[in-house]
């Protein structure tokens, strides 16, 4: 919620110049770190049991962007991942499919093939992921390649250097250019790398910047740095999408990524969504988990709820 | 907010606490009946279920307990500080070990949510005993001269809103400094004090050092007036506090009073708004607003009034009211039918005087004492609900335009216990805090407690400080 009245200054005007954009972003209410973290921790103590837990686990599975982002990725690995995304637990066909598989651009075609005929989307981390340190032309080429190969979603990283240097308009222009390259074929997720933005104030500003530039999703991180998704930074981004919708009518999704490994953690994030942005965000069109190892823990917990017993890692597939 | 994500009930187990059908008074290390055989029932506010029958102390019992405390004082005060510290550390550790049991007990007897007893009350109770245990052998260095002496027998009367925590605030510094204690818990919440009596025995505390007398106001009055009591400590209503002050005047007894409040929570337009909303909620809905330092007057800068109110209403709609033993419950029951009637009457008065009332859509349980979280907007200094302490989940929202106006309105009250300041501007925090007449001022937070931090009031909120090094002074001859 900016302190400048929206009626006095339509949001389209704030991106007219670097200085107006800066004024707008710095006019957003500050974030008190202690209070934010305390709120996130207190929501983390919600006790989710029995039916609510079963619901949450299935919901979380359906929100996973099953991810492999390694230099060593091969078409075979991606095919296996795709098969798992479509059918996460072959022993229990009631298990929902994941939301998407997330791969590098050169693997999009293989991923597309692997999930063909299912509702599972293919997301690709284009734009010189994870550093984003390349010329705009290169980034756009990266995006176009992924979209041409059939990517349904593009996960772009912002230029953190430009952001930290206060060159907000440059970041804004890059996002709008990538959004244009996505066209209508792909939804755009904008990754801030919150661990590098360092302050919560910066994360709130980046969230608004991304949304103003047309992001369909805002995403915490690449999973490639020390601090990735946390309950606090996700809570903050949920507040931002909630406020953005209240002000513009436009709904934007949120994707925490990196470091969410257990069902317990995932459920805490769902509680954050439920009690911050609200039930409108509780499906995989508006909320995702960027994760690879999370899915297996969700599946094991799901089996435990169904059978009353814990199985073990050999009762779920290794991708 | 409608949601497909309905949290299934997650009740804490009642079986971790074993409540006996009846309890006696705890005098001279023994549980005994009242001299006149009187008993009273204590009920669970959330269900109106009778939990137990408790002996009701009268004047004769007070006399017996004070005599026991007097006798114990000679030995207890003569112990080296390090020895007294051992007992206090032991009590603190037993409280930690039994914290789950005590949290459930307190929730049953008081009606507050298990989230609060488990996450706030019990950790603070243990922390107070640990903290004052640490002082017991360092009194020479507390700044009150060499070898400060204890006062003698302390008569302590505590309220029902934080039964065990208020006990800890009273008993821990009294014992650390070498005093002995006769404590009267409130008639609606005697159980955790009686469990504490058992903890004293478990810790091997010498007989008579701690005496617990459940009872009504007459027992409290007899305790306060007892000629062999050297120190009176009271937490409760301002009306009773005034009576006590009159009783004690001229007797030479040392007195501390922690009374009512009408705390101002000031939100400036540059505040971290999302966290301020959380702070407003914590300020007034923590323990159903039954907190003397509650931020019951929200002073919000006019320029952000609508924004803050929208956010606050949205947030209130997510509060979960119901079974206090459910780990997901945010708002529990009001402590007694009497208190509920008082809150209801004051809220009705607010409406009658023209303030606008709002509560989230919220179903109240069929039995027990419940009051929905309530906001009043359009409140001015001239409204009763802006002046009288409601001691319930009722927030009065006022506005201001300048920092000076905020300070003037915040100070325009007969009370002076707490205040809160919300702004991103550090210099404003310091400037405003220095002008507020309140014992505790929180900035960008609210209702945070710590044993190291002194707590107490100005004006009709009482005098004396509890907690911290200052808290020792009330129990020492200095």
């Amino acid at each position: 919620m900016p302190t400048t009245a929206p009626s006095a200054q339509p949001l389209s005007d704030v991106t007219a110049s670097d200085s107006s954009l800066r004024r707008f972003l710095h006019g957003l209410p500050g974030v008190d770190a202690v209070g934010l973290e305390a709120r996130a921790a207190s929501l983390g103590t919600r006790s989710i049991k029995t039916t609510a837990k079963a619901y949450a686990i299935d919901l979380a599975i359906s929100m996973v962007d099953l991810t492999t982002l390694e230099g060593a990725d091969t078409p075979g690995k991606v095919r296996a991942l795709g098969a798992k995304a479509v059918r996460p637990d072959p022993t229990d066909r009631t298990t929902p499919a994941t939301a998407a598989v997330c791969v590098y651009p050169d693997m999009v075609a293989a991923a597309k093939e692997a999930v063909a005929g299912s509702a599972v989307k293919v997301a690709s981390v284009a734009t010189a992921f994870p550093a984003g340190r390349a010329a705009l032309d290169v980034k756009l080429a990266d995006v176009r390649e992924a979209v041409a190969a059939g990517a349904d979603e593009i996960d772009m990283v912002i230029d953190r250097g430009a952001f930290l240097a206060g060159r907000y308009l440059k970041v804004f222009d890059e996002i709008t250019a990538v959004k244009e390259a996505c066209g209508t074929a792909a939804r755009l997720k904008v990754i801030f790398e919150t661990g590098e933005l360092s302050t919560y104030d910066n994360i709130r500003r980046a969230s608004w910047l991304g949304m103003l530039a047309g992001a369909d999703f805002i995403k915490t991180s690449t999973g490639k740095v020390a601090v990735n998704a946390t309950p606090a930074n996700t809570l903050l981004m949920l507040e931002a999408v909630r406020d953005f919708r209240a002000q513009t009518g436009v709904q934007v999704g949120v994707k925490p990524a990196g470091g969410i490994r257990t069902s317990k953690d995932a459920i805490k994030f769902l509680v954050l969504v439920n009690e911050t942005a609200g039930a409108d965000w509780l499906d995989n069109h508006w909320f995702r988990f960027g994760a690879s190892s999370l899915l297996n823990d969700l599946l094991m917990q799901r089996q435990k709820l169904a059978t009353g017993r814990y199985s073990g890692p050999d009762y779920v597939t290794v991708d | 907010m409608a949601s497909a994500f309905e949290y299934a009930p997650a009740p804490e187990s009642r079986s971790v606490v074993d409540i006996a059908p009846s309890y006696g008074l705890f005098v001279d290390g023994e549980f005994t009946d009242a001299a006149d055989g009187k008993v009273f029932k204590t009920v669970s506010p959330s269900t109106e279920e009778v939990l137990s029958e408790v002996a009701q102390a009268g004047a004769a019992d007070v006399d017996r307990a004070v005599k026991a405390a007097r006798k114990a004082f000679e030995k207890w005060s003569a112990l080296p500080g390090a020895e007294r510290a051992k007992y206090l550390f032991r009590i603190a550790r037993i409280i930690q070990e039994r914290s789950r049991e005590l949290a459930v007990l307190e929730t049953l007897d008081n009606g507050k949510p298990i989230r609060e007893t488990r996450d706030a009350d019990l950790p603070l109770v243990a922390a107070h005993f640990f903290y004052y245990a640490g002082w017991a052998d360092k009194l020479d260095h507390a700044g009150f001269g060499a070898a400060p002496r204890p006062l003698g027998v302390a008569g302590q009367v505590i309220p029902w809103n934080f039964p065990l925590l208020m006990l800890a605030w009273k008993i821990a510094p009294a014992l650390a400094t070498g005093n002995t204690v006769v404590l009267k818990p409130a008639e609606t919440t005697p159980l955790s004090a009686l469990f504490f009596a058992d903890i004293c025995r478990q810790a091997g505390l010498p007989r008579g050092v701690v005496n617990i007398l459940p009872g009504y106001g007459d027992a409290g009055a007899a305790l306060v007036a007892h000629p062999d009591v050297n120190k009176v400590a009271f937490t409760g209503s301002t009306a009773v506090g005034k009576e006590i002050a009159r009783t004690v005047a001229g007797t030479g007894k040392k007195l501390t009073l922690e009374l009512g409040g009408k705390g101002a929570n000031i939100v400036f337009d540059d505040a971290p708004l999302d966290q301020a909303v959380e702070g407003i909620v914590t300020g007034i809905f923590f323990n159903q607003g039954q907190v003397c330092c509650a931020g019951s007057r929200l002073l919000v800068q006019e320029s952000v009034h609508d924004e803050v109110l929208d956010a606050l209403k949205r947030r209130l709609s997510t509060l979960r009211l119901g079974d206090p033993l459910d780990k997901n419950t945010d708002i529990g029951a009001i402590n007694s039918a009497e208190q509920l009637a008082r809150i209801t009457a004051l809220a009705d008065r607010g409406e009658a005087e023209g303030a606008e009332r709002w509560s989230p859509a919220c179903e109240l349980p069929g039995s027990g004492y419940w009051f929905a979280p309530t906001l009043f907007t359009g409140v001015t200094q001239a409204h009763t609900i802006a002046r009288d302490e409601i001691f319930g989940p009722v927030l009065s929202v006022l506005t201001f335009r300048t920092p000076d106006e905020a300070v003037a309105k915040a100070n325009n009250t007969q009370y002076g216990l707490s205040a809160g300041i919300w702004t991103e501007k550090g210099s404003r925090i310091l400037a405003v805090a220095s002008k507020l007449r309140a014992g505790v001022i929180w900035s960008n937070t609210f209702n945070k407690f710590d044993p190291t931090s002194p707590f107490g009031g100005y004006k009709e909120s009482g005098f004396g400080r509890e907690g911290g090094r200052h808290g020792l002074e009330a129990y020492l001859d200095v």
Side-chain angles (χ1 to χ4, degrees):
Chain A
M1 283 171 277
T3 48
T4 46
S7 54
Q9 190 182 38
L11 285 181
S12 57
D13 283 2
V14 306
T15 56
S17 70
D18 220 351
S19 63
S20 65
L21 185 54
R22 173 196 313 274
R23 261 202 311 280
F24 173 79
L25 294 176
H26 286 257
L28 293 167
V31 184
D32 186 82
V34 175
L36 176 71
E37 287 167 9
R39 173 68 177 148
S42 118
L43 285 175
T45 66
R46 288 281 191 233
S47 186
I48 306 301
K49 302 287 183 209
T50 59
T51 53
K53 188 172 180 184
Y55 176 83
I57 286 175
D58 277 7
L59 187 59
I61 292 172
S62 77
M63 288 170 163
V64 167
D65 281 4
L66 195 57
T67 303
T68 182
L69 297 170
E70 291 165 18
D73 285 345
T74 60
K77 159 94 177 167
V78 169
R79 268 197 300 277
L81 199 73
K84 178 158 185 171
V86 174
R87 200 167 47 252
D89 186 349
T91 68
D92 184 351
R93 297 300 175 99
T94 65
T95 312
T98 70
V101 287
C102 182
V103 295
Y104 277 117
D106 62 330
M107 288 293 155
V108 168
K112 234 5 221 187
E113 212 180 299
V115 301
S118 76
V120 176
K121 305 270 195 283
V122 172
S124 181
V125 289
T127 67
F129 183 92
R133 303 224 74 95
L136 181 59
D137 290 349
V138 176
K139 293 180 183 176
L140 293 177
D142 210 12
V143 173
R144 286 191 198 104
E145 187 204 340
V147 174
D152 305 294
E153 297 168 358
I154 295 297
D155 291 30
M156 82 167 279
V157 287
I158 64 160
D159 181 342
R160 282 86 78 189
F163 184 93
L164 289 170
R167 291 156 65 205
Y168 300 126
L169 201 57
K170 176 172 193 290
V171 180
F172 177 85
D173 288 341
E174 270 200 17
I175 300 172
T176 46
V178 172
K179 170 80 177 169
E180 205 183 307
C182 290
T184 51
R187 291 174 86 201
L188 175 63
K189 306 196 193 102
V190 178
I191 307 172
F192 302 131
E193 199 67 295
T194 49
E196 292 185 353
L197 297 188
S198 172
T199 70
Y200 289 125
D201 287 330
N202 274 344
I203 296 171
R204 173 165 286 175
R205 286 170 195 146
S207 299
W208 278 82
L209 180 58
M211 292 187 290
L212 288 170
D216 297 301
F217 259 90
I218 52 176
K219 176 175 169 185
T220 56
S221 40
T222 61
K224 303 283 185 192
V225 296
V227 180
N228 293 288
T230 65
N233 62 28
T234 306
L235 172 58
L236 180 54
M237 286 162 66
L238 286 163
E239 289 170 352
V241 295
R242 176 197 70 196
D243 295 344
F244 189 76
R245 188 179 75 169
Q247 200 162 335
T248 64
V250 176
Q251 187 161 345
V252 175
V254 176
K255 177 177 172 185
I260 306 164
R261 294 195 177 83
T262 66
S263 303
K264 206 170 179 176
D265 283 345
I267 290 171
K268 286 179 184 176
F269 279 87
L270 293 181
V271 170
L272 295 181
V273 177
N274 192 37
E275 299 203 30
T276 308
D280 289 355
W281 270 265
L282 275 178
D283 68 48
N284 68 9
H285 197 70
W286 300 114
F287 194 78
R288 296 283 178 84
F289 289 107
S292 44
S293 59
L294 169 63
L295 181 58
N296 272 359
D297 193 64
L298 287 165
L299 294 176
M300 283 194 279
Q301 288 294 331
R302 196 175 190 278
Q303 290 174 353
K304 197 264 170 181
L305 277 182
T307 64
R309 287 175 197 83
Y310 278 106
S311 51
D314 286 343
Y315 289 80
V316 290
T317 58
V318 291
D319 297 339
Chain B
M1 181 174 320
S3 164
F5 193 12
E6 293 293 343
Y7 305 158
E12 173 60 284
S13 171
R14 270 189 74 152
S15 65
V16 298
V17 58
D18 187 13
I19 301 174
S22 70
Y23 286 94
L25 313 169
F26 185 68
V27 178
D28 203 20
E30 306 280 346
F31 284 102
T32 70
D33 292 336
D36 55 11
K38 275 194 188 167
V39 293
F40 66 100
K41 291 178 168 52
T42 185
V43 302
S44 180
S46 59
T47 58
E48 298 175 59
E49 169 204 356
V50 174
L51 293 172
S52 188
E53 205 171 68
V54 178
Q56 180 184 335
D61 303 301
V62 168
D63 190 51
R64 197 153 52 100
V66 172
K67 283 203 170 83
R70 172 62 55 200
K71 197 168 147 229
F73 174 69
E74 286 174 26
K75 280 189 183 167
W76 180 251
S77 60
L79 281 182
E83 287 301 311
R84 289 199 305 274
K86 281 185 197 170
Y87 287 106
L88 286 168
F89 277 122
R90 210 177 290 159
I91 288 170
R93 285 195 304 268
I94 296 171
I95 286 168
Q96 284 186 321
E97 282 160 15
R98 295 178 63 174
S99 66
R100 189 169 168 213
E101 173 195 0
L102 293 167
V104 173
L105 176 75
E106 195 84 314
T107 287
L108 283 170
D109 204 21
N110 170 280
K112 64 169 73 184
I114 187 80
R115 258 168 93 90
E116 292 180 7
T117 53
R118 179 196 63 190
D119 300 343
D121 294 46
L122 263 297
L124 278 168
V125 169
H128 267 87
F129 278 98
F130 277 118
Y131 176 75
Y132 280 111
W135 269 118
D137 61 348
K138 302 174 192 72
L139 297 175
D140 298 357
H141 312 289
F144 306 117
R149 284 170 303 156
L151 298 168
V153 175
Q156 307 177 322
V157 180
I158 58 169
W160 44 258
N161 58 343
F162 294 89
L164 198 53
L165 183 60
M166 291 301 103
L167 174 148
W169 282 24
K170 297 277 183 292
I171 291 185
L175 298 193
T177 46
N179 300 273
T180 54
V181 165
V182 180
L183 177 131
K184 188 199 88 72
E187 67 270 18
T188 60
T189 55
L191 292 183
S192 52
L194 292 165
F195 273 57
F196 179 79
D198 182 51
I199 289 172
C200 290
R201 293 215 293 201
Q202 202 183 337
L205 195 72
R207 298 157 68 98
V209 173
V210 168
N211 303 275
I212 309 280
L213 299 180
Y216 284 76
D218 61 320
L223 178 58
V224 167
H226 196 286
D228 207 23
V229 164
N230 307 93
K231 149 83 190 175
V232 172
F234 172 75
T235 296
S237 73
T238 293
V240 175
K242 286 178 179 174
E243 242 175 82
I244 291 175
R246 272 182 224 113
T247 309
V248 169
T251 61
K253 290 175 190 174
K254 212 166 163 178
L255 175 65
T256 45
L257 296 173
E258 301 282 2
L259 309 176
K262 192 75 189 174
N265 206 356
I266 307 169
V267 177
F268 288 98
D269 60 4
D270 65 345
L273 288 185
D274 287 304
Q275 287 75 50
V277 165
E278 289 307 315
I280 296 164
V281 169
T282 308
I284 184 62
F285 299 115
F286 181 60
N287 199 19
Q288 296 71 248
Q290 302 169 132
V291 184
C292 49
C293 54
S296 51
R297 284 185 298 151
L298 174 63
L299 296 178
V300 57
Q301 195 153 10
E302 256 181 37
S303 49
V304 287
H305 174 270
D306 293 354
E307 213 171 311
V308 169
L309 258 291
D310 285 349
L312 193 55
K313 287 179 178 176
R314 184 182 61 223
R315 176 68 178 85
L316 256 53
S317 304
T318 68
L319 286 175
R320 306 168 64 86
L321 178 145
D323 178 7
L325 274 180
D326 190 321
K327 291 167 195 161
N328 291 327
T329 292
D330 299 315
I331 305 273
I334 301 299
N335 183 252
S336 65
E338 192 188 355
Q339 184 59 22
L340 178 60
R342 180 180 157 76
I343 297 168
T344 307
L346 277 163
D348 290 348
R349 181 106 169 247
E351 227 168 348
E353 288 179 7
E356 192 183 330
R357 180 176 186 157
W358 184 90
S359 286
C362 162
E363 204 176 310
L364 301 181
S367 60
Y369 317 125
W370 301 90
F371 197 88
T374 299
L375 290 183
F376 275 102
T377 49
V379 180
T380 70
Q381 291 293 104
H383 282 83
T384 306
I385 52 168
R387 311 208 70 81
D388 286 12
E389 184 182 37
I390 299 176
F391 221 65
V394 181
L395 179 67
S396 299
V397 183
L398 297 90
T399 60
F400 68 90
R401 291 156 301 178
T402 63
D404 286 345
E405 186 182 349
V407 169
K409 283 185 169 169
N411 285 341
N412 180 219
T413 166
Q414 67 266 41
Y415 297 111
L417 196 51
S418 72
I421 304 168
W422 296 84
T423 169
E424 280 279 275
K425 201 168 162 133
S427 58
R428 181 172 293 151
I429 291 173
L430 298 175
V432 172
S434 68
K435 291 178 194 145
L436 291 174
R437 300 284 293 167
V440 188
I441 296 166
W442 286 289
S443 61
N444 290 342
T445 189
F446 211 93
N447 272 345
K448 284 271 183 295
F449 304 96
D450 190 281
T452 64
S453 173
F455 182 94
Y458 281 82
K459 298 191 274 187
E460 291 201 14
S461 290
F463 48 79
R465 293 293 178 265
E466 293 183 292
R469 189 181 62 83
H470 303 70
L472 294 168
E473 190 180 357
Y475 290 92
L476 290 172
D477 185 14
V478 294

